[in-house]
Amino acid sequence: MLNRSAAPLRCVRPCVVLAVLTLIVGGCASSGSGAYVSEYQAGQYSAAHRSASAAASAASGAQRDEAALIAGLSAHAMDRPAEAERWLRSLVSNRDRQIAGRASAALGLIELDRRNHERAAALLSQAASQLSGNDAARAGMYAGDAYTALGRPDAARMQYNLAHALTSDATLKRTLIERLDRSGFTIQVGAFSERINAERTAREVKSTSVGYGYGLPRVVESVDERGRALYLVQLGRFTSKAEADTARGRFGRNGIIAAAPTND
């Protein structure tokens, strides 16, 4: 897959095309798929665009939606973003979550390429919630990149952490760890919509945290994927994931490894 770890926010058109290819391969073909799917996966975008456009005009239902998806992705690969948007925009609320997720991901990557990071973050976060496994993780990673560009590191770290938990791809895991490792790691023992609940949990784990030398627990203000307030209970700061993993075991099932905040 595409590695953006060196310059995660400098996505030129070829980067976006490769990212979309990664998101779609192996997941969109149905039993009634036409040649356009294999043409697209083979990089034959012009042929895929012709086949998919014709199929979308003639078909209906799920087959029409799949053809429209390939037509939109092919248009994007040929540097026709406006046409790609016309095909894809109506698919983001499709009943098929895979089609909706891939359309959202592609549109989000188009916006990321345009440096429209607010819209990119929303679309890619939506895609991450619609897709599953490695596809969801990749969408989440790029959503994190968009949030980073917006100056919202907590939202970015949340996306990176979710993506890391979802993926089974070793290369993608390493890429996500590189992003997370920029600020170190912490142990998160709770996430709450109300601050009072976060403060109560912080008091409950205080003696354990101090006893192991991790310091006082802290309540970190963040936001969820819909922009709503979220209060995270975190403790300790570790320079490596291995150190954090050792500490996590001392807090049972409630502890997860997260990126440490940069402002504490």
Side-chain angles (χ1 to χ4, degrees), residues 144-165:
D145 290 350
Y147 281 122
T148 297
L150 288 167
R152 296 173 60 184
D154 288 336
R157 284 191 291 270
M158 181 181 70
Q159 290 294 333
Y160 294 148
N161 276 310
L162 288 172
H164 185 269

Side-chain angles (χ1 to χ4, degrees), residues 10 30 55 65 67 92 126 166 169 209 217 232 260-261:
R10 294 188 176 185
S30 69
D65 294 339
V92 297
Q126 177 177 321
L166 286 169
D169 184 291
S209 180
L232 313 176

Side-chain angles (χ1 to χ4, degrees), residues 41-188:
Q41 291 175 338
Q44 299 169 2
Y45 304 126
S46 180
H49 183 265
R50 286 194 302 271
S51 301
S53 297
S57 299
S60 61
Q63 191 171 358
R64 186 269 171 198
D65 294 339
E66 181 185 270
L69 177 66
I70 298 298
L73 295 179
S74 299
H76 178 222
M78 294 187 294
D79 199 13
R80 301 178 189 171
E83 182 181 353
E85 288 175 309
R86 286 196 297 272
W87 282 111
L88 298 172
R89 196 177 295 120
S90 64
L91 299 176
V92 297
S93 57
N94 195 275
R95 287 182 296 179
D96 185 322
R97 291 176 64 83
Q98 294 298 304
I99 287 178
R102 286 179 168 82
S104 297
L107 290 170
L109 289 166
I110 289 172
E111 297 296 354
L112 192 61
D113 191 39
R114 291 171 171 167
R115 307 295 195 270
N116 186 353
H117 297 119
E118 190 76 48
R119 182 62 177 153
L123 284 163
L124 289 161
S125 296
Q126 177 177 321
S129 70
Q130 292 168 320
L131 297 169
S132 60
N134 293 330
D135 287 346
R138 291 184 182 100
M141 181 180 71
Y142 293 123
D145 290 350
Y147 281 122
T148 297
L150 288 167
R152 296 173 60 184
D154 288 336
R157 284 191 291 270
M158 181 181 70
Q159 290 294 333
Y160 294 148
N161 276 310
L162 288 172
H164 185 269
L166 286 169
T167 186
S168 60
D169 184 291
T171 300
L172 182 54
K173 278 186 178 291
R174 286 194 298 270
T175 300
L176 287 160
I177 287 296
E178 288 172 4
R179 281 162 164 74
L180 289 167
D181 207 17
R182 292 169 186 160
S183 59
F185 298 90
T186 189
I187 303 303
Q188 184 170 301

Side-chain angles (χ1 to χ4, degrees), residues 233-258:
V233 182
Q234 299 179 343
L235 51 93
R237 181 181 286 274
F238 310 91
T239 57
S240 73
K241 186 173 182 292
E243 290 178 322
D245 197 45
T246 298
R248 177 179 59 175
R250 292 166 175 158
F251 293 89
R253 292 179 298 175
N254 292 329
I256 65 170
I257 297 174

